[in-house]
């Protein structure tokens, strides 16, 4: 190599560059070709003489135990935990409680829970209290009365009611007998006295004949219906007359009324046919016949109207009778009920009424005592509107109480929110207070997400462990929510892991295959406490530093590929559950180094000057 360089130096000394420059300017194209040929020839010469060698250098680190934390970051604003309106502590409907007699606070005052804000005169509350006491007394008396049963005066009253109901029923039965006889008499007269004259023979015969002198009937069917109807009515009237004669107050009077109504309906149909026949299907041969038609039609219509009145009267009588029977039965049931001891259900109902009255009394007592209005919790008074002499109702707000406790509200996307739980520890910092760091816990996660432009987010409330006066509502806070934390676990850099076929691997130093190299390296690069004479001794090495992971850059070992099982991980580190042990050397970084050397005739292959980094089963790339 040295001889070649000397020959090149002598060559350039012999060149007259001034003549060369003149030649180039006169023969540009030829000069360009010559330069390209020289460059290419130089490249070929360099490739034959020199060679580039690529080697791989590994950065090793120790597997160590430590604490691994997985967290979720976010930001939000500081706000007060809550604010409430200070109102009189009353229950029930809105009511006027009275005038304010004293106001004990001013706007901006800090108050403690239970501290007096205002005092009312309490006159209305006292009136409500007295009414509630009276209601309890009345409900208690009703309950005691139910337990003791019916008094003598109540028994007398119930018996009188029962007697009156029985008398009313007896009178109703007598009235039914009278109504039935009157109905028969009126109905039979409408047949015998009013319309039987329309027949030319004896209408009570087996074949009555409906016939009027000077009149012709044009509807044979109606005429035949009248003749048949008269025959049937004759039989019915004879039967009805017999029943009326033998009717007594002890008979089934309801059945008698219904039978009478049925008889009257038969007669109404009979007179309907007769009226229609006279009105539409009859002609007169002379004026006398026409007069007969008119007179007889009027008679038939009047008879039908009389029958309608009888039916209506009997229906009304039947309804009145049924009402009287019901009243008597109700009086009997009432007496039987009062004679029996109170049932468990009745006692329960009355007891519930008594309990309700007592609850109202308790509310009234509370309302009376609450005329002294106090702060429900520690906080600051704002929006004070209470003035002496002001009339106050249960719905009026006298002031607003703002809690002194502050919280941080942040919003997380659905992926992060799914990992957060109530009680998770939180680290907190503030943009406007760079020197302040606080801790807290997740107090609340809104179960209902909010959708905005297709993105779902969830509100998370964080409670601070310490209320610092520097922190004010509206400030921006950055939070780190710790979702998982494992202590004393094996940890390696996440970048050291390679995934192949769903399995995870790392490269480890194969110390056992190079004991001598290991011993000299440990002597050079570790403290005396880390020296060892075997791979087992090195494996038992315990790190004394404070770093979770230690890189060892100046030692090279052969490496092998091992499969591991991992646990939790964050952006930089991963927990190892199996496959490695504490103190073991793993590859944390792989660097490819290029170097140039002169080719020799002894070897045409590249030699790894660092000593076998791949090894059987070594990982191809990190």
């Amino acid at each position: 190599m040295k001889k070649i360089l000397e020959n090149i130096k002598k060559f350039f000394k012999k060149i007259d560059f001034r003549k060369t420059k003149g030649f180039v300017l006169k023969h540009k194209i030829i000069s360009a070709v010559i330069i390209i040929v020289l460059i290419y020839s130089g490249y070929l010469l360099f490739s034959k003489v020199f060679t580039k060698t690529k080697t791989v250098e590994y950065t090793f680190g120790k597997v160590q135990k430590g604490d691994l934390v997985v967290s979720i970051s976010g930001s939000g604003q500081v706000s007060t935990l809550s604010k409430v309106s200070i109102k009189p502590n009353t229950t029930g409907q809105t009511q006027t409680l009275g005038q304010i007699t004293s106001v004990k606070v001013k706007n901006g005052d800090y108050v403690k829970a239970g501290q007096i804000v205002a005092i009312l005169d309490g006159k209305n509350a006292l009136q409500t209290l007295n009414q509630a006491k009276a209601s309890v007394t009345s409900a208690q008396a009703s309950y005691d009365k139910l337990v003791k049963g019916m008094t003598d005066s109540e028994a007398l009253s119930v018996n009188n009611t029962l007697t009156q109901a029985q008398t009313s029923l007896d009178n109703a039965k007598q009235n039914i007998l009278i109504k039935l006889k009157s109905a028969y008499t009126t109905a039979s007269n409408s047949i015998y006295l009013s319309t039987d004259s329309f027949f030319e023979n004896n209408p009570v015969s087996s074949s009555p004949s409906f016939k009027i002198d000077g009149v012709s009937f044009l509807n044979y069917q109606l005429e035949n219906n009248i003749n048949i109807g008269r025959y049937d009515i004759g039989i019915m009237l004879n039967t009805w007359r017999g029943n009326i004669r033998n009717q007594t107050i002890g008979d089934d009077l309801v059945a008698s009324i219904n039978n009478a109504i049925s008889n009257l309906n038969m007669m109404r149909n009979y007179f309907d046919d007769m009226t229609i026949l006279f009105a539409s299907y009859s002609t007169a041969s002379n004026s006398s016949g026409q007069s007969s038609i008119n007179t007889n039609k009027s008679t038939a219509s009047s008879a039908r109207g009389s029958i309608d009145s009888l039916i209506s009267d009997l229906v009304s009588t039947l309804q009145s009778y049924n009402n009287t029977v019901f009243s008597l039965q109700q009086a009997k049931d009432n007496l039987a009920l009062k004679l029996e001891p109170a049932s468990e259900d009745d006692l329960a109902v009355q007891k519930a009424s008594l309990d309700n009255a007592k609850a109202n009394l308790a509310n009234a007592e509370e309302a009376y005592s609450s005329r002294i209005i106090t702060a429900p919790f520690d906080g600051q008074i704002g929006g004070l509107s209470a003035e002496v002499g002001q009339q106050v109702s249960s719905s009026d707000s006298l002031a607003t109480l703002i809690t002194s406790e502050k919280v941080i509200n942040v919003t997380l996307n659905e992926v992060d929110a799914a990992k957060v739980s109530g009680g998770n520890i939180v680290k907190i910092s503030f943009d406007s207070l760079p020197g302040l760091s606080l801790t807290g816990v997740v107090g609340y996660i809104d179960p209902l997400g909010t959708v905005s432009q297709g993105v779902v987010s969830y509100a998370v409330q964080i409670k601070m462990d310490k209320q610092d006066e520097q922190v004010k509502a509206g400030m921006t806070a950055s939070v780190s929510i710790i979702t998982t934390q494992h202590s004393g676990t094996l940890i390696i850099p996440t970048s050291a892991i390679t995934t192949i076929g769903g399995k995870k691997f790392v490269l480890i130093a194969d110390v056992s295959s190079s004991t001598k190299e290991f011993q000299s390296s440990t002597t050079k690069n570790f403290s005396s406490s880390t020296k060892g004479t075997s791979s087992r001794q090195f494996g038992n090495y315990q790190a004394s530093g404070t770093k979770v992971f230690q890189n060892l850059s100046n030692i090279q070992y052969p490496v092998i590929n091992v499969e591991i099982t991992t646990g939790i991980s964050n952006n930089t580190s991963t927990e190892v559950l199996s496959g490695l042990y504490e103190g073991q050397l793993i590859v944390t970084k792989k660097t490819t180094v290029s170097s140039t050397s002169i080719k020799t005739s002894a070897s045409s292959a590249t030699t790894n000057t660092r000593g076998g980094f791949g090894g059987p089963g070594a990982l191809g790339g990190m």
Side-chain angles (χ1 to χ4, degrees):
M1 179 66 181
K2 185 176 180 182
K3 186 176 181 181
I4 292 173
L5 293 175
E6 289 177 352
N7 291 333
I8 292 173
K9 186 176 181 181
K10 290 179 180 179
F11 173 77
F12 279 105
K13 284 182 177 180
K14 293 179 180 181
I15 297 175
D16 188 347
F17 286 99
R18 287 178 294 180
K19 292 181 179 181
T20 302
K21 182 178 179 181
F23 178 83
V24 171
L25 293 176
K26 290 180 180 181
H27 305 87
K28 294 181 179 179
I29 297 176
I30 297 174
S31 299
V33 173
I34 294 172
I35 291 171
I36 293 173
V37 171
L38 289 174
I39 293 173
Y40 182 69
S41 299
Y43 171 75
L44 293 178
L45 177 63
F46 185 85
S47 299
K48 291 180 179 181
V49 177
F50 298 95
T51 182
K52 285 188 176 181
T53 303
K54 292 184 178 181
T55 59
V56 178
E57 291 186 354
Y58 295 101
T59 301
F60 292 90
K62 286 180 176 294
V63 179
Q64 295 193 0
K65 285 187 176 181
D67 298 337
L68 184 58
V69 175
V70 179
S71 63
I72 292 173
S73 299
S75 62
Q77 271 67 47
V78 178
S79 65
T80 56
L81 179 61
S82 62
K83 63 179 181 180
V84 298
S85 295
I86 299 178
K87 299 181 179 180
N89 184 23
T90 59
T91 57
Q93 298 180 349
T94 301
Q95 54 184 315
T96 300
L97 303 177
Q99 290 184 340
I100 297 177
T101 59
S102 178
V103 179
K104 302 294 186 180
V105 295
K106 303 185 299 297
N107 271 320
D109 285 355
Y110 285 91
V111 296
K112 295 291 185 180
Q115 184 173 334
I116 297 176
V117 175
I119 301 175
L120 308 181
D121 61 10
K123 292 179 181 179
N124 292 325
L126 179 60
Q127 181 180 1
T128 302
L129 176 61
N130 291 333
Q131 291 174 348
K133 289 180 178 179
S135 296
V136 169
T137 301
S138 175
Q140 185 68 57
S142 298
Y143 178 77
D144 294 341
K145 179 181 178 181
L146 184 63
V147 173
K148 292 178 181 178
M150 185 171 56
T151 62
D152 293 340
S153 60
E154 288 176 335
L156 179 61
S157 176
V158 172
N159 283 326
N160 288 339
T161 302
L162 182 62
T163 300
Q164 291 173 1
Q166 184 63 57
T167 301
S168 297
L169 180 61
D170 293 341
N171 293 337
K173 289 181 178 181
Q174 290 292 345
N175 185 52
I176 289 175
L177 293 178
I178 295 172
K179 293 284 186 180
L180 289 173
K181 291 179 180 180
S182 175
Y184 169 77
T185 300
T186 302
S188 61
N189 287 339
S190 67
I191 296 294
Y192 297 136
L193 301 179
S194 299
T195 59
D196 271 0
S197 60
F198 300 160
F199 294 86
E200 65 178 353
N201 59 348
N202 187 3
V204 297
S205 64
S206 59
S207 57
S209 177
F210 189 69
K211 183 69 175 177
I212 298 175
D213 293 338
V215 177
S216 297
F217 299 113
L218 306 178
N219 191 321
Y220 173 77
Q221 184 63 49
L222 283 176
E223 186 179 356
N224 188 53
N225 288 346
I226 292 171
N227 289 330
I228 296 173
R230 179 63 186 85
Y231 176 77
D232 292 339
I233 287 174
I235 297 174
M236 178 270 291
L237 288 175
N238 288 333
T239 303
W240 193 2
R241 181 175 63 250
N243 291 337
I244 290 298
R245 288 177 178 176
N246 299 322
Q247 191 83 52
T248 66
I249 198 171
D251 293 337
D252 186 353
L253 299 181
V254 173
S256 298
I257 292 177
N258 288 329
N259 183 63
I261 292 173
S262 178
N263 294 338
L264 292 172
N265 280 324
M266 178 190 292
M267 296 177 70
R268 180 168 60 182
N269 293 335
Y270 171 73
F271 288 128
D272 279 343
D273 290 342
M274 191 177 292
T275 302
I276 294 172
L277 186 63
F278 280 124
S280 304
Y281 301 104
S282 60
T283 60
S285 59
N286 51 43
S287 59
S288 175
Q290 185 62 46
S291 177
S292 296
I293 290 174
N294 296 335
T295 301
N296 294 339
K297 182 178 70 173
S298 178
T299 301
S301 296
S302 177
R304 185 192 184 286
S306 178
I307 295 301
D308 284 341
S309 296
L310 292 174
I311 292 174
S312 178
D313 188 41
L314 287 180
V315 170
S316 177
T317 299
L318 179 59
Q319 182 63 43
S320 177
Y321 174 75
N322 288 334
N323 290 340
T324 305
V325 172
F326 177 77
S327 297
L328 177 61
Q329 186 60 46
Q330 192 176 36
K332 290 179 179 179
D333 292 342
N334 189 33
L335 176 61
L337 182 63
K338 289 184 176 297
L339 291 175
E340 291 180 358
S343 67
E344 292 184 1
D345 290 342
D346 290 339
L347 287 173
V349 171
Q350 195 60 49
K351 181 65 166 54
S353 178
L354 176 60
D355 292 341
N356 184 61
K358 290 180 177 179
N360 290 336
L361 175 59
N363 290 336
E365 290 174 341
E366 182 180 357
Y368 180 70
S369 63
S370 66
R371 70 190 188 279
I372 300 177
I373 302 170
T374 59
F377 52 78
D378 294 356
Q380 186 177 19
I381 296 292
L384 181 67
S385 61
E387 295 180 356
V388 174
Q390 175 184 344
Q391 287 285 348
V392 176
S393 69
S394 56
S395 63
D396 290 337
S397 174
L398 305 184
T400 299
L401 183 62
I402 304 171
T403 179
S404 57
E405 182 179 359
K406 298 178 181 65
V407 295
I408 299 171
N409 295 316
V410 300
T411 301
L412 299 179
N413 60 46
E414 57 183 319
V415 176
D416 288 343
K419 303 174 184 177
V420 175
S421 302
N424 283 157
I425 297 173
V426 183
K427 295 180 179 180
I428 308 166
S429 61
F430 302 90
D431 294 350
S432 56
L433 302 171
L436 180 63
S437 296
L438 299 177
T439 59
V441 295
V442 174
Y444 172 78
I445 304 174
D446 192 344
L448 298 176
T450 302
V451 181
S452 177
Q453 298 181 347
V455 178
V456 183
S457 58
Y458 293 83
V460 178
Q461 184 186 87
I462 297 171
K463 293 187 175 181
M464 294 180 284
D465 295 333
K466 176 185 177 183
Q467 294 293 317
D468 195 291
E469 293 183 356
Q470 299 179 78
V471 179
K472 295 178 173 56
M475 285 185 172
T476 300
S478 298
V479 301
S480 177
I481 304 173
I482 299 175
T483 58
T484 310
Q485 182 173 359
H486 289 180
S487 300
T489 188
L490 292 180
I491 303 173
I492 64 173
T494 303
S495 59
I497 302 173
T498 300
T499 301
I500 301 176
K503 297 181 179 181
K504 296 181 179 180
F505 298 87
V506 294
L507 290 174
I508 66 170
D510 187 9
V511 184
S512 60
S513 66
S514 183
T515 306
K516 293 181 179 180
E517 182 179 356
F518 164 75
Q519 291 173 347
S520 61
S521 298
T522 54
T523 303
K524 178 181 179 181
N525 292 282
F526 296 102
S527 63
S528 58
S529 62
T530 64
K531 294 178 181 179
T533 58
S534 69
S535 60
R536 178 175 299 278
Q537 289 172 326
F538 182 81
N540 292 331
Y541 166 76
Q542 300 294 324
S544 60
T546 58
K547 293 184 179 179
V548 173
F549 202 88
Q550 181 180 3
N551 285 326
L552 309 172
S553 303
N554 298 324
I555 306 173
Q556 291 296 303
Y557 295 100
V559 295
I560 59 174
N561 189 19
V562 296
E563 182 181 353
I564 62 171
T565 304
T566 61
I568 64 172
S569 64
N570 55 29
N571 294 333
T572 59
S573 301
T574 298
E575 178 186 31
V576 178
L577 301 179
S578 65
L580 299 176
Y581 54 83
E582 185 181 4
Q584 192 170 11
L585 283 179
I586 68 169
V587 175
T588 61
K589 182 180 179 182
K590 186 175 69 172
T591 305
T592 301
V593 180
S594 297
S595 60
T596 303
S597 61
I598 300 174
K599 288 185 178 180
T600 63
S601 59
S603 175
S604 60
T606 301
T607 301
N608 189 337
T609 60
R610 295 289 183 176
F613 301 132
L619 203 58
M622 291 293 293

